[in-house]
Amino acid sequence: GNSVTQMEGPVTLSEEAFLTINCTYTATGYPSLFWYVQYPGEGLQLLLKATKADDKGSNKGFEATYRKETTSFHLEKGSVQVSDSAVYFCALSTTSGTYKYIFGTGTRLKVLA
Amino acid sequence: SQTIHQWPATLVQPVGSPLSLECTVEGTSNPNLYWYRQAAGRGLQLLFYSVGIGQISSEVPQNLSASRPQDRQFILSSKKLLLSDSGFYLCAFSRGFDEQFFGPGTRLTVL
């Protein structure tokens, strides 16, 4: 079946450090892939997405590339800020059958000044 | 533009009391609608989803139910709340297989 695995947190970084949050997936067909961010007490917001292999999604300095050969969609940012502290979720949408989304368990990021 | 509303924002209810959470969507028609629950510090658990009026798919058998009386309205209910129903409830919508848009959430505490 479809699944998403992302690295366990929490991840603690100093401001301006490089960020990588790993995400791998298992899916049939050609899913779309997403990264969402959740700030404390709020709903999830779409951070970026990619709909086909080799697509790169980017937003607010964050990037992720849809790698079909490694079934991965790792999130990266070159220089994190304190305001990036949040929980990050990797997700996929299936392209057949039901209109369901599969989410990873979330990775909490804490950035220290 | 598309927006999604949820209310109430917070709710404290005694065990055994009923529950009704409402979600409405604006700016789009015939959306797919979803209810998720998020326990403290945990990931998302899909509870229900709907692809049309009156069409509800349940993912987790429990004492919750969902209804979609109108195209852009999705309601989560319970006749008798349990302590384990406490959590952060999120409503979301999507168009087809594109990204989901999430509401602000309802923090439910059952005492």
Side-chain angles (χ1 to χ4, degrees):
Chain A
N2 299 316
S3 66
V4 173
T5 303
Q6 61 181 104
M7 63 188 290
E8 295 269 344
V11 174
T12 303
L13 297 173
S14 298
E15 204 165 26
E16 298 184 3
F18 184 85
L19 168 72
T20 299
I21 300 178
N22 291 336
C23 172
T24 57
Y25 68 90
T26 302
T28 55
Y30 302 92
S32 293
L33 301 174
F34 309 91
W35 275 102
Y36 289 87
V37 59
Q38 184 180 33
Y39 298 101
E42 298 183 6
L44 278 68
Q45 303 173 28
L46 179 69
L47 182 59
L48 53 83
K49 68 178 182 180
T51 57
K52 61 183 187 295
D54 299 326
D55 266 3
K56 177 185 282 187
S58 60
N59 186 27
K60 300 180 182 179
F62 291 89
E63 293 182 339
T65 302
Y66 189 162
R67 301 284 189 200
K68 191 166 177 63
E69 64 275 13
T70 55
T71 61
S72 64
F73 193 54
H74 304 321
L75 182 68
E76 297 182 335
K77 187 175 185 182
S79 177
V80 294
Q81 305 300 311
V82 172
S83 57
D84 293 327
S85 298
V87 180
Y88 293 82
F89 291 91
C90 184
L92 67 82
S93 68
T94 58
T95 56
S96 61
T98 61
Y99 291 89
K100 286 166 55 175
Y101 295 75
I102 309 299
F103 284 82
T105 53
T107 302
R108 182 174 300 277
L109 170 66
K110 184 173 183 180
V111 181
L112 304 175
Chain B
S1 63
Q2 301 168 113
T3 55
I4 178 169
H5 304 279
Q6 274 187 256
W7 63 91
T10 59
L11 192 58
V12 180
Q13 293 285 96
V15 169
S17 63
L19 172 73
S20 181
L21 302 181
E22 189 162 343
C23 171
T24 59
V25 176
E26 295 178 357
T28 188
S29 59
N30 197 30
N32 300 323
L33 295 171
Y34 306 82
W35 278 112
Y36 293 90
R37 178 169 60 200
Q38 189 176 26
R42 305 293 292 276
L44 297 173
Q45 179 187 31
L46 178 62
L47 301 175
F48 302 95
Y49 69 98
S50 171
V51 299
I53 295 175
Q55 300 178 57
I56 308 294
S57 296
S58 174
E59 290 295 298
V60 184
Q62 53 197 323
N63 69 320
L64 298 173
S65 62
S67 62
R68 183 171 179 173
Q70 300 180 43
D71 181 46
R72 291 172 289 178
Q73 183 184 30
F74 205 25
I75 297 172
L76 183 69
S77 303
S78 174
K79 293 182 179 177
K80 288 186 177 181
L81 284 168
L82 306 173
L83 286 174
S84 57
D85 291 323
S86 293
F88 192 50
Y89 287 81
L90 290 162
C91 182
F93 77 93
S94 72
R95 295 303 315 276
F97 298 109
D98 210 350
E99 72 261 28
Q100 288 185 305
F101 297 89
F102 285 82
T106 295
R107 173 83 51 199
L108 172 65
T109 303
V110 182
L111 301 175

